[in-house]
Amino acid sequence: YAGMVRAKNVLSVMMQCFAITALVTVLWTIYGYSLAFDATGMEAGVVNLNSFIGGFGKAFLSGITVDSLWQPVTSAPNAIPETVFIVFQMTFAIITPALIVGAFAERMKFSALLLFMGIWFTVVYLPVAHMVWGGAGSLIGSSWGVLDFAGGTVVHINAGIAGFVACLVIGKRKGYPHTAMPPHNLNFTIIGASMLWVGWFGFNAGSAVAANGSAGMAMAVTQIATATAALAWMFSEWLAHGKPSVLGIASGAVAGLVAITPASGTAGPMGALLIGLASGVICFLASTKLKRALGYDDSLDVFGVHAVGGIVGAILTGLCVDKMMGGVGLAEGMTLGGQLWAQVKGALFTIVYSGVLSFIILKIVDVMVGLRVTEEQETEGLDIALHDERGYNL
């Protein structure tokens, strides 16, 4: 992200992501983990309040000791230290709001960002995470049967839609789209994308909660889908614009990572190729033609890559789980049509839930502290205007 903005805003983006990491870590410790994963009151086949949100039984990580174990609801039979699971899930909780930053980069107040992210994490991220991953009795994952191995709905659709709403509410950057705003340092961007690619093995393979065949296949399909999507975006851009770009192939790789995420525990290599190809092409079209047609200023294509990639991946997960596609097979009693409908329903629910609540939160924050920097601050750059520092001393 820092490489994709203009030089005068490089530190502001780094600061936002760094601060979100710290903020979410503290909130996750106080109540986040408990609301996401406290299964008190949950029962398979029963939809109640606890199907939507967890309780406070593990607030401040109460009762967690060095001997505490986490028993996966599905996948591996072996329990792992609960502290490992807590920190692993914390990384998802951190990256999800951090992804939103790219949609309104270069124009939001830092105070508004902190307030928005704290509220959004609490009322949007935690309930969605619980509804998908909360265990037996959770609304989306258990009752509806939606497959989301590592965060297609929880992370990417959730964050992508919030970013889309935010860029609309905050408005376009001064001069957009008539003033050129090219990335100031694509070296940063390609290095960052490469780190994401490697780091994503931790998200996807780690979601098996074990070192087993499921983790191994998740790692394999993650690599295959990402490589395919990178090439698909590159060739699409080459055909459309005459030249392949570094930003394009990096964006394609991220689109592939996003799209394979929900399917990484159920798809096989053939499904990974399909998901990679579809996400590379569709996310390219969303980030170029759709963006220009609708005229919204999603600074770093959070909607085009994460929301659209998440939707493509979530839906194709329902297809690629089938054994005819080389997947692990449908759950007992589930039909292919039923699984596809479950995936669509889960994606639609997340779109509406995140979109509506994100809009409300943004309006509340706007009343409290104001969302946007002044025109003078935007012109000067957020590095100096908000942090009194420069990324570069020329």
PDB file of all heavy atoms in Angstrom, residues 1-6 13 16-17 98-107 167 173 181-183 189 233 247 251 254 287 291 297-306:
ATOM      1  N   TYR A   1       0.818  -1.199   0.000  1.00  0.00           N
ATOM      2  CA  TYR A   1       0.000   0.000   0.000  1.00  0.00           C
ATOM      3  C   TYR A   1       0.859   1.260   0.000  1.00  0.00           C
ATOM      4  O   TYR A   1       0.589   2.222  -0.722  1.00  0.00           O
ATOM      5  CB  TYR A   1      -0.904   0.024   1.238  1.00  0.00           C
ATOM      6  CG  TYR A   1      -2.201  -0.732   1.117  1.00  0.00           C
ATOM      7  CD1 TYR A   1      -2.551  -1.400  -0.053  1.00  0.00           C
ATOM      8  CD2 TYR A   1      -3.084  -0.790   2.194  1.00  0.00           C
ATOM      9  CE1 TYR A   1      -3.760  -2.081  -0.148  1.00  0.00           C
ATOM     10  CE2 TYR A   1      -4.287  -1.475   2.107  1.00  0.00           C
ATOM     11  CZ  TYR A   1      -4.626  -2.111   0.938  1.00  0.00           C
ATOM     12  OH  TYR A   1      -5.815  -2.784   0.852  1.00  0.00           O
ATOM     13  N   ALA A   2       1.909   1.285   0.809  1.00  0.00           N
ATOM     14  CA  ALA A   2       2.741   2.493   0.925  1.00  0.00           C
ATOM     15  C   ALA A   2       3.389   2.850  -0.402  1.00  0.00           C
ATOM     16  O   ALA A   2       3.552   4.025  -0.731  1.00  0.00           O
ATOM     17  CB  ALA A   2       3.804   2.302   2.002  1.00  0.00           C
ATOM     18  N   GLY A   3       3.756   1.847  -1.186  1.00  0.00           N
ATOM     19  CA  GLY A   3       4.362   2.115  -2.476  1.00  0.00           C
ATOM     20  C   GLY A   3       3.374   2.594  -3.516  1.00  0.00           C
ATOM     21  O   GLY A   3       3.757   3.224  -4.506  1.00  0.00           O
ATOM     22  N   MET A   4       2.093   2.322  -3.301  1.00  0.00           N
ATOM     23  CA  MET A   4       1.069   2.650  -4.288  1.00  0.00           C
ATOM     24  C   MET A   4       0.543   4.073  -4.161  1.00  0.00           C
ATOM     25  O   MET A   4      -0.137   4.569  -5.060  1.00  0.00           O
ATOM     26  CB  MET A   4      -0.095   1.656  -4.193  1.00  0.00           C
ATOM     27  CG  MET A   4       0.291   0.239  -4.597  1.00  0.00           C
ATOM     28  SD  MET A   4      -0.980  -0.986  -4.209  1.00  0.00           S
ATOM     29  CE  MET A   4      -2.261  -0.545  -5.378  1.00  0.00           C
ATOM     30  N   VAL A   5       0.810   4.730  -3.038  1.00  0.00           N
ATOM     31  CA  VAL A   5       0.351   6.110  -2.871  1.00  0.00           C
ATOM     32  C   VAL A   5       1.426   7.076  -3.350  1.00  0.00           C
ATOM     33  O   VAL A   5       2.527   6.680  -3.735  1.00  0.00           O
ATOM     34  CB  VAL A   5      -0.015   6.408  -1.404  1.00  0.00           C
ATOM     35  CG1 VAL A   5      -1.168   5.532  -0.956  1.00  0.00           C
ATOM     36  CG2 VAL A   5       1.187   6.222  -0.481  1.00  0.00           C
ATOM     37  N   ARG A   6       1.123   8.380  -3.308  1.00  0.00           N
ATOM     38  CA  ARG A   6       2.112   9.377  -3.687  1.00  0.00           C
ATOM     39  C   ARG A   6       3.126   9.567  -2.558  1.00  0.00           C
ATOM     40  O   ARG A   6       2.840   9.257  -1.399  1.00  0.00           O
ATOM     41  CB  ARG A   6       1.404  10.695  -4.012  1.00  0.00           C
ATOM     42  CG  ARG A   6       0.617  10.645  -5.328  1.00  0.00           C
ATOM     43  CD  ARG A   6      -0.307  11.827  -5.505  1.00  0.00           C
ATOM     44  NE  ARG A   6      -1.460  11.732  -4.630  1.00  0.00           N
ATOM     45  CZ  ARG A   6      -2.448  12.655  -4.601  1.00  0.00           C
ATOM     46  NH1 ARG A   6      -2.389  13.712  -5.385  1.00  0.00           N
ATOM     47  NH2 ARG A   6      -3.463  12.497  -3.783  1.00  0.00           N
ATOM     48  N   VAL A  13       0.233   5.954   5.310  1.00  0.00           N
ATOM     49  CA  VAL A  13      -0.306   4.610   5.104  1.00  0.00           C
ATOM     50  C   VAL A  13       0.397   3.611   6.017  1.00  0.00           C
ATOM     51  O   VAL A  13      -0.239   2.742   6.626  1.00  0.00           O
ATOM     52  CB  VAL A  13      -0.171   4.194   3.630  1.00  0.00           C
ATOM     53  CG1 VAL A  13      -0.595   2.744   3.446  1.00  0.00           C
ATOM     54  CG2 VAL A  13      -1.000   5.098   2.746  1.00  0.00           C
ATOM     55  N   GLN A  16      -0.954   4.138   9.512  1.00  0.00           N
ATOM     56  CA  GLN A  16      -2.301   3.607   9.697  1.00  0.00           C
ATOM     57  C   GLN A  16      -2.273   2.097   9.931  1.00  0.00           C
ATOM     58  O   GLN A  16      -2.914   1.594  10.858  1.00  0.00           O
ATOM     59  CB  GLN A  16      -3.154   3.952   8.473  1.00  0.00           C
ATOM     60  CG  GLN A  16      -3.512   5.429   8.381  1.00  0.00           C
ATOM     61  CD  GLN A  16      -4.103   5.808   7.041  1.00  0.00           C
ATOM     62  OE1 GLN A  16      -4.320   4.963   6.163  1.00  0.00           O
ATOM     63  NE2 GLN A  16      -4.384   7.093   6.855  1.00  0.00           N
ATOM     64  N   CYS A  17      -1.526   1.386   9.103  1.00  0.00           N
ATOM     65  CA  CYS A  17      -1.453  -0.077   9.255  1.00  0.00           C
ATOM     66  C   CYS A  17      -0.765  -0.481  10.563  1.00  0.00           C
ATOM     67  O   CYS A  17      -1.190  -1.434  11.233  1.00  0.00           O
ATOM     68  CB  CYS A  17      -0.719  -0.684   8.066  1.00  0.00           C
ATOM     69  SG  CYS A  17      -1.596  -0.510   6.503  1.00  0.00           S
ATOM     70  N   ALA A  98      -7.071  -3.475   8.369  1.00  0.00           N
ATOM     71  CA  ALA A  98      -5.936  -2.853   7.680  1.00  0.00           C
ATOM     72  C   ALA A  98      -6.140  -2.840   6.172  1.00  0.00           C
ATOM     73  O   ALA A  98      -5.693  -1.915   5.483  1.00  0.00           O
ATOM     74  CB  ALA A  98      -4.634  -3.560   8.044  1.00  0.00           C
ATOM     75  N   LEU A  99      -6.809  -3.852   5.631  1.00  0.00           N
ATOM     76  CA  LEU A  99      -7.084  -3.887   4.197  1.00  0.00           C
ATOM     77  C   LEU A  99      -7.947  -2.709   3.759  1.00  0.00           C
ATOM     78  O   LEU A  99      -7.799  -2.193   2.646  1.00  0.00           O
ATOM     79  CB  LEU A  99      -7.799  -5.198   3.824  1.00  0.00           C
ATOM     80  CG  LEU A  99      -6.987  -6.486   3.904  1.00  0.00           C
ATOM     81  CD1 LEU A  99      -7.884  -7.685   3.646  1.00  0.00           C
ATOM     82  CD2 LEU A  99      -5.830  -6.468   2.922  1.00  0.00           C
ATOM     83  N   ILE A 100      -8.854  -2.280   4.628  1.00  0.00           N
ATOM     84  CA  ILE A 100      -9.795  -1.212   4.279  1.00  0.00           C
ATOM     85  C   ILE A 100      -9.066   0.093   3.987  1.00  0.00           C
ATOM     86  O   ILE A 100      -9.522   0.909   3.184  1.00  0.00           O
ATOM     87  CB  ILE A 100     -10.815  -1.011   5.422  1.00  0.00           C
ATOM     88  CG1 ILE A 100     -11.542  -2.327   5.732  1.00  0.00           C
ATOM     89  CG2 ILE A 100     -11.834   0.068   5.072  1.00  0.00           C
ATOM     90  CD1 ILE A 100     -12.414  -2.248   6.981  1.00  0.00           C
ATOM     91  N   VAL A 101      -7.930   0.294   4.620  1.00  0.00           N
ATOM     92  CA  VAL A 101      -7.155   1.532   4.508  1.00  0.00           C
ATOM     93  C   VAL A 101      -6.925   1.944   3.054  1.00  0.00           C
ATOM     94  O   VAL A 101      -6.981   3.128   2.707  1.00  0.00           O
ATOM     95  CB  VAL A 101      -5.802   1.374   5.241  1.00  0.00           C
ATOM     96  CG1 VAL A 101      -4.819   2.471   4.847  1.00  0.00           C
ATOM     97  CG2 VAL A 101      -6.026   1.359   6.751  1.00  0.00           C
ATOM     98  N   GLY A 102      -6.672   0.965   2.195  1.00  0.00           N
ATOM     99  CA  GLY A 102      -6.349   1.270   0.809  1.00  0.00           C
ATOM    100  C   GLY A 102      -7.451   1.962   0.046  1.00  0.00           C
ATOM    101  O   GLY A 102      -7.191   2.655  -0.945  1.00  0.00           O
ATOM    102  N   ALA A 103      -8.697   1.790   0.470  1.00  0.00           N
ATOM    103  CA  ALA A 103      -9.822   2.366  -0.269  1.00  0.00           C
ATOM    104  C   ALA A 103      -9.905   3.880  -0.115  1.00  0.00           C
ATOM    105  O   ALA A 103     -10.335   4.584  -1.024  1.00  0.00           O
ATOM    106  CB  ALA A 103     -11.133   1.722   0.179  1.00  0.00           C
ATOM    107  N   PHE A 104      -9.513   4.388   1.052  1.00  0.00           N
ATOM    108  CA  PHE A 104      -9.613   5.839   1.284  1.00  0.00           C
ATOM    109  C   PHE A 104      -8.247   6.457   1.546  1.00  0.00           C
ATOM    110  O   PHE A 104      -8.137   7.526   2.151  1.00  0.00           O
ATOM    111  CB  PHE A 104     -10.558   6.147   2.448  1.00  0.00           C
ATOM    112  CG  PHE A 104     -10.264   5.370   3.710  1.00  0.00           C
ATOM    113  CD1 PHE A 104      -9.165   5.656   4.493  1.00  0.00           C
ATOM    114  CD2 PHE A 104     -11.106   4.348   4.107  1.00  0.00           C
ATOM    115  CE1 PHE A 104      -8.899   4.951   5.654  1.00  0.00           C
ATOM    116  CE2 PHE A 104     -10.860   3.625   5.276  1.00  0.00           C
ATOM    117  CZ  PHE A 104      -9.745   3.941   6.049  1.00  0.00           C
ATOM    118  N   ALA A 105      -7.190   5.803   1.083  1.00  0.00           N
ATOM    119  CA  ALA A 105      -5.834   6.310   1.292  1.00  0.00           C
ATOM    120  C   ALA A 105      -5.713   7.741   0.791  1.00  0.00           C
ATOM    121  O   ALA A 105      -6.326   8.127  -0.193  1.00  0.00           O
ATOM    122  CB  ALA A 105      -4.833   5.418   0.567  1.00  0.00           C
ATOM    123  N   GLU A 106      -4.931   8.535   1.508  1.00  0.00           N
ATOM    124  CA  GLU A 106      -4.556   9.901   1.145  1.00  0.00           C
ATOM    125  C   GLU A 106      -5.597  10.957   1.501  1.00  0.00           C
ATOM    126  O   GLU A 106      -5.449  12.108   1.134  1.00  0.00           O
ATOM    127  CB  GLU A 106      -4.211  10.014  -0.346  1.00  0.00           C
ATOM    128  CG  GLU A 106      -3.100   9.067  -0.807  1.00  0.00           C
ATOM    129  CD  GLU A 106      -2.587   9.360  -2.194  1.00  0.00           C
ATOM    130  OE1 GLU A 106      -3.391   9.348  -3.149  1.00  0.00           O
ATOM    131  OE2 GLU A 106      -1.380   9.631  -2.324  1.00  0.00           O
ATOM    132  N   ARG A 107      -6.639  10.589   2.276  1.00  0.00           N
ATOM    133  CA  ARG A 107      -7.638  11.631   2.564  1.00  0.00           C
ATOM    134  C   ARG A 107      -8.402  11.516   3.879  1.00  0.00           C
ATOM    135  O   ARG A 107      -9.243  12.360   4.172  1.00  0.00           O
ATOM    136  CB  ARG A 107      -8.627  11.732   1.408  1.00  0.00           C
ATOM    137  CG  ARG A 107      -9.394  10.459   1.067  1.00  0.00           C
ATOM    138  CD  ARG A 107      -9.943  10.596  -0.348  1.00  0.00           C
ATOM    139  NE  ARG A 107     -10.867   9.580  -0.787  1.00  0.00           N
ATOM    140  CZ  ARG A 107     -10.507   8.408  -1.313  1.00  0.00           C
ATOM    141  NH1 ARG A 107      -9.235   8.105  -1.425  1.00  0.00           N
ATOM    142  NH2 ARG A 107     -11.415   7.546  -1.735  1.00  0.00           N
ATOM    143  N   CYS A 167     -14.980   4.753   0.621  1.00  0.00           N
ATOM    144  CA  CYS A 167     -14.510   5.653  -0.435  1.00  0.00           C
ATOM    145  C   CYS A 167     -15.659   6.468  -1.008  1.00  0.00           C
ATOM    146  O   CYS A 167     -15.461   7.609  -1.450  1.00  0.00           O
ATOM    147  CB  CYS A 167     -13.747   4.885  -1.516  1.00  0.00           C
ATOM    148  SG  CYS A 167     -14.746   3.979  -2.711  1.00  0.00           S
ATOM    149  N   ARG A 173     -10.498  11.860  -4.026  1.00  0.00           N
ATOM    150  CA  ARG A 173      -9.332  12.692  -3.763  1.00  0.00           C
ATOM    151  C   ARG A 173      -9.374  13.953  -4.628  1.00  0.00           C
ATOM    152  O   ARG A 173      -9.935  13.939  -5.722  1.00  0.00           O
ATOM    153  CB  ARG A 173      -8.042  11.920  -4.056  1.00  0.00           C
ATOM    154  CG  ARG A 173      -7.698  10.840  -3.059  1.00  0.00           C
ATOM    155  CD  ARG A 173      -6.587   9.946  -3.567  1.00  0.00           C
ATOM    156  NE  ARG A 173      -7.047   9.104  -4.676  1.00  0.00           N
ATOM    157  CZ  ARG A 173      -6.282   8.252  -5.338  1.00  0.00           C
ATOM    158  NH1 ARG A 173      -4.993   8.143  -5.018  1.00  0.00           N
ATOM    159  NH2 ARG A 173      -6.775   7.518  -6.319  1.00  0.00           N
ATOM    160  N   MET A 181      -2.150  10.314 -10.574  1.00  0.00           N
ATOM    161  CA  MET A 181      -1.737   9.947  -9.217  1.00  0.00           C
ATOM    162  C   MET A 181      -1.056   8.581  -9.239  1.00  0.00           C
ATOM    163  O   MET A 181      -1.532   7.613  -8.647  1.00  0.00           O
ATOM    164  CB  MET A 181      -2.946   9.922  -8.275  1.00  0.00           C
ATOM    165  CG  MET A 181      -3.676  11.240  -8.171  1.00  0.00           C
ATOM    166  SD  MET A 181      -5.133  11.152  -7.105  1.00  0.00           S
ATOM    167  CE  MET A 181      -5.804  12.803  -7.321  1.00  0.00           C
ATOM    168  N   PRO A 182       0.075   8.458  -9.937  1.00  0.00           N
ATOM    169  CA  PRO A 182       0.736   7.156 -10.068  1.00  0.00           C
ATOM    170  C   PRO A 182       1.398   6.720  -8.769  1.00  0.00           C
ATOM    171  O   PRO A 182       1.742   7.561  -7.923  1.00  0.00           O
ATOM    172  CB  PRO A 182       1.786   7.411 -11.153  1.00  0.00           C
ATOM    173  CG  PRO A 182       2.112   8.867 -11.015  1.00  0.00           C
ATOM    174  CD  PRO A 182       0.819   9.534 -10.633  1.00  0.00           C
ATOM    175  N   PRO A 183       1.592   5.420  -8.584  1.00  0.00           N
ATOM    176  CA  PRO A 183       2.328   4.925  -7.418  1.00  0.00           C
ATOM    177  C   PRO A 183       3.724   5.540  -7.384  1.00  0.00           C
ATOM    178  O   PRO A 183       4.372   5.644  -8.423  1.00  0.00           O
ATOM    179  CB  PRO A 183       2.391   3.413  -7.650  1.00  0.00           C
ATOM    180  CG  PRO A 183       1.288   3.125  -8.604  1.00  0.00           C
ATOM    181  CD  PRO A 183       1.146   4.323  -9.460  1.00  0.00           C
ATOM    182  N   THR A 189       5.882  -1.884  -3.525  1.00  0.00           N
ATOM    183  CA  THR A 189       4.663  -2.638  -3.807  1.00  0.00           C
ATOM    184  C   THR A 189       4.961  -4.091  -4.171  1.00  0.00           C
ATOM    185  O   THR A 189       4.310  -5.012  -3.666  1.00  0.00           O
ATOM    186  CB  THR A 189       3.870  -1.950  -4.931  1.00  0.00           C
ATOM    187  OG1 THR A 189       3.530  -0.625  -4.517  1.00  0.00           O
ATOM    188  CG2 THR A 189       2.605  -2.715  -5.259  1.00  0.00           C
ATOM    189  N   TRP A 233      -4.049 -11.838 -14.864  1.00  0.00           N
ATOM    190  CA  TRP A 233      -4.111 -10.367 -14.835  1.00  0.00           C
ATOM    191  C   TRP A 233      -3.078  -9.790 -15.798  1.00  0.00           C
ATOM    192  O   TRP A 233      -3.375  -8.862 -16.559  1.00  0.00           O
ATOM    193  CB  TRP A 233      -3.869  -9.867 -13.413  1.00  0.00           C
ATOM    194  CG  TRP A 233      -4.045  -8.384 -13.226  1.00  0.00           C
ATOM    195  CD1 TRP A 233      -3.425  -7.378 -13.907  1.00  0.00           C
ATOM    196  CD2 TRP A 233      -4.908  -7.747 -12.277  1.00  0.00           C
ATOM    197  NE1 TRP A 233      -3.826  -6.143 -13.439  1.00  0.00           N
ATOM    198  CE2 TRP A 233      -4.738  -6.346 -12.446  1.00  0.00           C
ATOM    199  CE3 TRP A 233      -5.778  -8.208 -11.283  1.00  0.00           C
ATOM    200  CZ2 TRP A 233      -5.430  -5.417 -11.659  1.00  0.00           C
ATOM    201  CZ3 TRP A 233      -6.461  -7.276 -10.504  1.00  0.00           C
ATOM    202  CH2 TRP A 233      -6.295  -5.894 -10.687  1.00  0.00           C
ATOM    203  N   LEU A 247       2.759  -3.408 -11.394  1.00  0.00           N
ATOM    204  CA  LEU A 247       1.596  -3.242 -10.526  1.00  0.00           C
ATOM    205  C   LEU A 247       0.517  -4.249 -10.894  1.00  0.00           C
ATOM    206  O   LEU A 247      -0.157  -4.803 -10.015  1.00  0.00           O
ATOM    207  CB  LEU A 247       1.055  -1.813 -10.640  1.00  0.00           C
ATOM    208  CG  LEU A 247      -0.184  -1.503  -9.792  1.00  0.00           C
ATOM    209  CD1 LEU A 247       0.097  -1.717  -8.310  1.00  0.00           C
ATOM    210  CD2 LEU A 247      -0.663  -0.078 -10.055  1.00  0.00           C
ATOM    211  N   SER A 251      -0.929  -7.101  -8.468  1.00  0.00           N
ATOM    212  CA  SER A 251      -2.357  -7.060  -8.144  1.00  0.00           C
ATOM    213  C   SER A 251      -3.020  -8.391  -8.471  1.00  0.00           C
ATOM    214  O   SER A 251      -3.884  -8.873  -7.725  1.00  0.00           O
ATOM    215  CB  SER A 251      -3.039  -5.931  -8.922  1.00  0.00           C
ATOM    216  OG  SER A 251      -2.487  -4.680  -8.590  1.00  0.00           O
ATOM    217  N   VAL A 254      -2.277 -10.901  -5.723  1.00  0.00           N
ATOM    218  CA  VAL A 254      -3.102 -10.670  -4.535  1.00  0.00           C
ATOM    219  C   VAL A 254      -4.542 -11.125  -4.791  1.00  0.00           C
ATOM    220  O   VAL A 254      -5.179 -11.719  -3.914  1.00  0.00           O
ATOM    221  CB  VAL A 254      -3.056  -9.189  -4.116  1.00  0.00           C
ATOM    222  CG1 VAL A 254      -4.013  -8.930  -2.947  1.00  0.00           C
ATOM    223  CG2 VAL A 254      -1.641  -8.794  -3.729  1.00  0.00           C
ATOM    224  N   SER A 287     -11.202  -3.653 -11.502  1.00  0.00           N
ATOM    225  CA  SER A 287     -10.300  -2.580 -11.070  1.00  0.00           C
ATOM    226  C   SER A 287     -10.002  -1.566 -12.178  1.00  0.00           C
ATOM    227  O   SER A 287      -9.398  -0.524 -11.913  1.00  0.00           O
ATOM    228  CB  SER A 287      -8.981  -3.175 -10.560  1.00  0.00           C
ATOM    229  OG  SER A 287      -9.212  -4.035  -9.468  1.00  0.00           O
ATOM    230  N   LYS A 291     -14.374   0.273 -12.509  1.00  0.00           N
ATOM    231  CA  LYS A 291     -14.004   1.445 -11.719  1.00  0.00           C
ATOM    232  C   LYS A 291     -14.162   2.725 -12.535  1.00  0.00           C
ATOM    233  O   LYS A 291     -14.694   3.727 -12.045  1.00  0.00           O
ATOM    234  CB  LYS A 291     -12.560   1.293 -11.228  1.00  0.00           C
ATOM    235  CG  LYS A 291     -12.072   2.402 -10.309  1.00  0.00           C
ATOM    236  CD  LYS A 291     -10.649   2.092  -9.865  1.00  0.00           C
ATOM    237  CE  LYS A 291     -10.096   3.174  -8.962  1.00  0.00           C
ATOM    238  NZ  LYS A 291      -8.708   2.853  -8.530  1.00  0.00           N
ATOM    239  N   ASP A 297     -13.643   6.497  -6.356  1.00  0.00           N
ATOM    240  CA  ASP A 297     -12.204   6.634  -6.110  1.00  0.00           C
ATOM    241  C   ASP A 297     -11.758   5.681  -5.004  1.00  0.00           C
ATOM    242  O   ASP A 297     -11.553   6.066  -3.855  1.00  0.00           O
ATOM    243  CB  ASP A 297     -11.863   8.083  -5.738  1.00  0.00           C
ATOM    244  CG  ASP A 297     -10.363   8.300  -5.561  1.00  0.00           C
ATOM    245  OD1 ASP A 297      -9.582   7.426  -5.975  1.00  0.00           O
ATOM    246  OD2 ASP A 297      -9.976   9.349  -4.999  1.00  0.00           O
ATOM    247  N   ASP A 298     -11.638   4.423  -5.368  1.00  0.00           N
ATOM    248  CA  ASP A 298     -11.084   3.404  -4.482  1.00  0.00           C
ATOM    249  C   ASP A 298      -9.572   3.447  -4.714  1.00  0.00           C
ATOM    250  O   ASP A 298      -9.055   2.821  -5.633  1.00  0.00           O
ATOM    251  CB  ASP A 298     -11.674   2.048  -4.845  1.00  0.00           C
ATOM    252  CG  ASP A 298     -11.092   0.883  -4.069  1.00  0.00           C
ATOM    253  OD1 ASP A 298     -10.255   1.122  -3.174  1.00  0.00           O
ATOM    254  OD2 ASP A 298     -11.462  -0.271  -4.365  1.00  0.00           O
ATOM    255  N   SER A 299      -8.860   4.198  -3.876  1.00  0.00           N
ATOM    256  CA  SER A 299      -7.467   4.567  -4.151  1.00  0.00           C
ATOM    257  C   SER A 299      -6.604   3.404  -4.587  1.00  0.00           C
ATOM    258  O   SER A 299      -5.892   3.482  -5.589  1.00  0.00           O
ATOM    259  CB  SER A 299      -6.838   5.213  -2.912  1.00  0.00           C
ATOM    260  OG  SER A 299      -7.602   6.297  -2.451  1.00  0.00           O
ATOM    261  N   LEU A 300      -6.635   2.305  -3.853  1.00  0.00           N
ATOM    262  CA  LEU A 300      -5.719   1.197  -4.106  1.00  0.00           C
ATOM    263  C   LEU A 300      -6.455  -0.099  -4.461  1.00  0.00           C
ATOM    264  O   LEU A 300      -5.938  -1.193  -4.252  1.00  0.00           O
ATOM    265  CB  LEU A 300      -4.809   0.990  -2.884  1.00  0.00           C
ATOM    266  CG  LEU A 300      -4.137   2.260  -2.345  1.00  0.00           C
ATOM    267  CD1 LEU A 300      -3.231   1.928  -1.161  1.00  0.00           C
ATOM    268  CD2 LEU A 300      -3.352   2.966  -3.438  1.00  0.00           C
ATOM    269  N   ASP A 301      -7.674   0.047  -4.978  1.00  0.00           N
ATOM    270  CA  ASP A 301      -8.465  -1.077  -5.508  1.00  0.00           C
ATOM    271  C   ASP A 301      -8.797  -2.145  -4.472  1.00  0.00           C
ATOM    272  O   ASP A 301      -8.708  -3.351  -4.740  1.00  0.00           O
ATOM    273  CB  ASP A 301      -7.767  -1.698  -6.713  1.00  0.00           C
ATOM    274  CG  ASP A 301      -7.730  -0.749  -7.907  1.00  0.00           C
ATOM    275  OD1 ASP A 301      -8.757  -0.106  -8.168  1.00  0.00           O
ATOM    276  OD2 ASP A 301      -6.672  -0.624  -8.548  1.00  0.00           O
ATOM    277  N   VAL A 302      -9.211  -1.700  -3.310  1.00  0.00           N
ATOM    278  CA  VAL A 302      -9.653  -2.637  -2.276  1.00  0.00           C
ATOM    279  C   VAL A 302     -10.916  -3.369  -2.716  1.00  0.00           C
ATOM    280  O   VAL A 302     -11.044  -4.582  -2.541  1.00  0.00           O
ATOM    281  CB  VAL A 302      -9.883  -1.895  -0.942  1.00  0.00           C
ATOM    282  CG1 VAL A 302     -10.450  -2.834   0.110  1.00  0.00           C
ATOM    283  CG2 VAL A 302      -8.588  -1.267  -0.461  1.00  0.00           C
ATOM    284  N   PHE A 303     -11.840  -2.623  -3.308  1.00  0.00           N
ATOM    285  CA  PHE A 303     -13.075  -3.255  -3.773  1.00  0.00           C
ATOM    286  C   PHE A 303     -12.792  -4.188  -4.948  1.00  0.00           C
ATOM    287  O   PHE A 303     -13.223  -5.342  -4.963  1.00  0.00           O
ATOM    288  CB  PHE A 303     -14.102  -2.190  -4.189  1.00  0.00           C
ATOM    289  CG  PHE A 303     -15.346  -2.774  -4.799  1.00  0.00           C
ATOM    290  CD1 PHE A 303     -16.302  -3.381  -4.000  1.00  0.00           C
ATOM    291  CD2 PHE A 303     -15.561  -2.730  -6.173  1.00  0.00           C
ATOM    292  CE1 PHE A 303     -17.452  -3.944  -4.561  1.00  0.00           C
ATOM    293  CE2 PHE A 303     -16.700  -3.281  -6.741  1.00  0.00           C
ATOM    294  CZ  PHE A 303     -17.654  -3.887  -5.937  1.00  0.00           C
ATOM    295  N   GLY A 304     -12.046  -3.704  -5.935  1.00  0.00           N
ATOM    296  CA  GLY A 304     -11.800  -4.478  -7.139  1.00  0.00           C
ATOM    297  C   GLY A 304     -11.043  -5.763  -6.894  1.00  0.00           C
ATOM    298  O   GLY A 304     -11.265  -6.766  -7.580  1.00  0.00           O
ATOM    299  N   VAL A 305     -10.134  -5.763  -5.913  1.00  0.00           N
ATOM    300  CA  VAL A 305      -9.326  -6.954  -5.634  1.00  0.00           C
ATOM    301  C   VAL A 305      -9.924  -7.780  -4.502  1.00  0.00           C
ATOM    302  O   VAL A 305     -10.135  -8.993  -4.647  1.00  0.00           O
ATOM    303  CB  VAL A 305      -7.869  -6.566  -5.303  1.00  0.00           C
ATOM    304  CG1 VAL A 305      -7.074  -7.782  -4.849  1.00  0.00           C
ATOM    305  CG2 VAL A 305      -7.202  -5.932  -6.525  1.00  0.00           C
ATOM    306  N   HIS A 306     -10.216  -7.150  -3.367  1.00  0.00           N
ATOM    307  CA  HIS A 306     -10.626  -7.924  -2.194  1.00  0.00           C
ATOM    308  C   HIS A 306     -12.115  -8.273  -2.189  1.00  0.00           C
ATOM    309  O   HIS A 306     -12.474  -9.432  -1.957  1.00  0.00           O
ATOM    310  CB  HIS A 306     -10.217  -7.191  -0.918  1.00  0.00           C
ATOM    311  CG  HIS A 306      -8.742  -7.130  -0.739  1.00  0.00           C
ATOM    312  ND1 HIS A 306      -8.003  -8.168  -0.217  1.00  0.00           N
ATOM    313  CD2 HIS A 306      -7.838  -6.163  -1.059  1.00  0.00           C
ATOM    314  CE1 HIS A 306      -6.729  -7.853  -0.217  1.00  0.00           C
ATOM    315  NE2 HIS A 306      -6.606  -6.632  -0.726  1.00  0.00           N
TER     316      HIS A 306
END
